[in-house]
Amino acid sequence: MAAANCLLPIRNPFEESLEAAMLPNERISLDDCHLRYYRYGDSSVAAPAFASPAYLKEFAHMAAIGWTQPNDTINWQCGGSLIWENYVLTAAHCTLDNGVPPDVVRLGDINIFSDKDDQFAQQLTIVQIFRHPDYKFLLSYNDIALLKLEKNVILHETVTPACLWIDKEIRFNALEATGWGDTGLALERTPSLLKVTLKPTTNQKCGEFYDINNRQLTDGLKETQLCAGDELMDTCPGDSGGPLQIKLLHNGKLSPFLVGVTSFGAACGTATPGVYTKVSAYYQWILQTIQSQENNVFDWSLEPINCALRYVRLREYEDDVFDSRSENMFYFDANNAHMHFAKRGDLRHKVTIVWKDDRRKNCSATLIDDDTALTLAECTSHYGVTPSHVIVDSNGKKIDIAQLIVHPEYRENFLYNNIAVLKLKERVKFSEQVTPACIWHSREIPNSQVEVAGIGRIDINTPHFSEKLDILFFPIAVPLLPRLTVNSPQNCTIPEEFHSRLTQGLAAEHLCVGDRLFLVPGSCTLLYGAPTQRQIWRNDRYFTYAYGLNAFGRDCGFGEAAIATRLISHVDWLKTVLLPNFHDGQSAVQFINSDWKENDSCDFGYNDEIPGICTHYTKCSKVWNDFKANRRVNFCSSAQVICCPRRFVEHKLSQEQKDELDNCRTDYQQFHPEKSSFYNAKGFAHTIKYERLLQNIAAVLDTGQQSRLVVLDNRSIKLSD
């Protein structure tokens, strides 16, 4: 079942009418898109809603591990996680208690000491225990085990296996731990399942909390272990074997992924990080152990996407689609889901950039006119080879590239000024299926919610808002339009792999978008050069406005930010390229502050952010050359005072100083001998020892003498015989 647009169009942020809709053939503005292409605007949208039974699905994988006592009561000592329909993952140290192994597992029960919530509880006998072969009870290494149950569980929203995080990298800034452990040091065990949010920390920092002579850690913390903690919250005794997890988004649902197994820690409530066995380090052992016992488990069975799809119908919905609750039903608005497929009309302005040898696969461009598209500068060349043509995605038409115009200040392998203009050899014929995007002409964005063009698999992104719908394995990639939020630079988490290309950090030209939720790996990839966009209501129609071009980021901005190159930051350069008359008159000039006078500090808007100074144009040849070349120039108080980068200011001599230098020979001829000798002291009467220079300067300052000074190499010295 397809969902509607993920974001409703913004309602009319403009105050205007169609009175000025008659346009000249020659384009004179980049802000006439809504008039020039008015007939291609949309006029309606729709938003479906769904309902579902209300079950507590958050802890459906959580297992209580118990020891049956002689009086037939059960001592619940550890936790675990259901990861296959008859296997529970736990800590190896939970497989014996005073030499006795556990014999029972209980699932689907939040309060293990009450029968009020036992409607969906399932209790099964443990028939076999698999400890990791390298585990030793006196140590805390390889602290992981599998418990085989007597039969498969009955799958239900309240009893469903969790998935495994199998990547070595732990990308998450927060994880959740759950358990029935003690609520604090010397406090009683909680009868109801509790969860705490913990922050991962490095093993090096974590090791500071544990004595190097710790008998459990004879070799210190290893890469197969990870630490997580919080100043106020922690896992406690009784939580051992329980999950350290993250919920990942897919299909409009959230699936729990196990990142760690609770191993050990200091007394809970002491703000000391707990130590967890890293699940990814033991993925192959887990897989091979289950395969050795079961015939229906394949190498791909436990992979993230396959696990997510297998149990999608049983998972809880993402929070944003929740609308209301009535009796035993939850109601959902699919329009609020984060991930949506791009329908035929959503990316009518996107074209795919192609090389003859197909050397790069993920470069797109955004049509802004019938013969012009914008893309990233990095998409104009790949190892020195330029692309040959584009494919108009809506109809598959192939059009050769006529010209590539790269921003003049772009530098290869850096993420500044990453923008280019792509001119086509023939004009695109616009229709309801192929239309241009409009350029957003303001730094202010009218709504913090935006759409980001991406690509991802059909199966893992198909919205699942019907309990009767099954998601089939179908790994075909299609365009996506996830919903993200605009973030401030201070709240922008950039993946480590991009830091080397951002030597000066984020700049004003970067638009940061993202969401706190992480995706199941492989769900969505950014389309580089495609737009970060939003539909906007203008002149009684909906038009797609591009705020920026997707530049870099992982997983389409989920969990960690995605960055777009803002178009408004480069609109003046775009005008010089795209508007034929933009170079005339004052069109390349911007007056930034009429109050700034010569020698005042100013901001000239260059990317290196070195301070500028208001300077007469004759003293700044760099900016004067920019002006003559029709590049942007910022003026201060008059047409002769420009904002010049300080490093380009030329320190010219005054006419009086020039005259004094020109007349040097005649003015001081009496002091120069006709012939000089290296041994004739007067032959070097113009030289002054450093110590004497300082003394003379001090004397002038002390006496206030009005001595003549000449500027030489930016230093002032007193002339003397």
Side-chain angles (χ1 to χ4, degrees), residues 444-502:
E444 297 298 323
I445 293 178
N447 189 291
S448 63
Q449 299 289 295
V450 299
E451 296 170 333
V452 174
I455 189 169
R457 291 170 49 154
I458 290 179
D459 48 14
I460 198 65
N461 290 294
T462 297
H464 192 281
F465 294 107
S466 171
E467 297 299 328
K468 299 179 181 179
L469 178 66
D470 288 327
I471 302 297
L472 301 178
F473 183 85
F474 195 54
I476 302 299
V478 294
L480 301 171
L481 270 181
R483 171 176 60 88
L484 298 174
T485 301
V486 175
N487 295 324
S488 66
Q490 296 76 25
N491 193 31
C492 189
T493 304
I494 301 174
E496 184 72 28
E497 66 185 87
F498 299 106
H499 287 186
S500 63
R501 302 175 65 193
L502 287 169

Side-chain angles (χ1 to χ4, degrees), residues 140-172:
S140 291
Y141 303 119
N142 308 302
D143 192 9
I144 193 167
L146 282 166
L147 309 179
K148 183 177 180 179
L149 307 181
E150 60 180 308
K151 61 181 180 180
N152 287 0
V153 299
I154 299 172
L155 292 177
H156 186 267
E157 285 85 347
T158 59
V159 180
T160 307
C163 300
L164 304 179
W165 179 257
I166 67 176
D167 289 352
K168 181 178 180 181
E169 180 188 8
I170 306 299
R171 299 167 49 189
F172 317 112

Side-chain angles (χ1 to χ4, degrees), residues 398-418:
K398 173 182 173 181
I399 302 178
D400 289 341
I401 296 172
Q403 187 180 12
L404 294 168
I405 307 169
V406 179
H407 193 288
E409 295 183 52
Y410 171 71
R411 296 295 177 266
E412 191 174 358
N413 294 323
F414 289 93
L415 295 168
Y416 303 102
N417 303 302
N418 193 9

Side-chain angles (χ1 to χ4, degrees), residues 2 28 91 112 156 164 187 198 219 222 234 276 427 432 462 469 536 567 576 579-580 586 629 631 657:
I28 60 174
I112 55 177
H156 186 267
L164 304 179
L187 298 179
L198 305 173
D219 296 327
K222 295 186 177 182
D234 192 10
Y276 300 81
R427 296 182 182 275
E432 292 184 356
T462 297
L469 178 66
I536 293 179
L567 297 184
T576 66
L579 301 183
Q586 297 285 311
R631 291 192 287 267
Q657 292 167 335

Side-chain angles (χ1 to χ4, degrees), residues 613-633:
I613 186 170
C614 290
T615 305
H616 195 275
Y617 74 92
T618 59
K619 298 180 182 179
C620 189
S621 59
K622 189 259 189 249
V623 177
W624 177 238
N625 290 333
D626 285 346
F627 176 75
K628 290 187 290 184
N630 294 311
R631 291 192 287 267
R632 193 180 100 174
V633 174

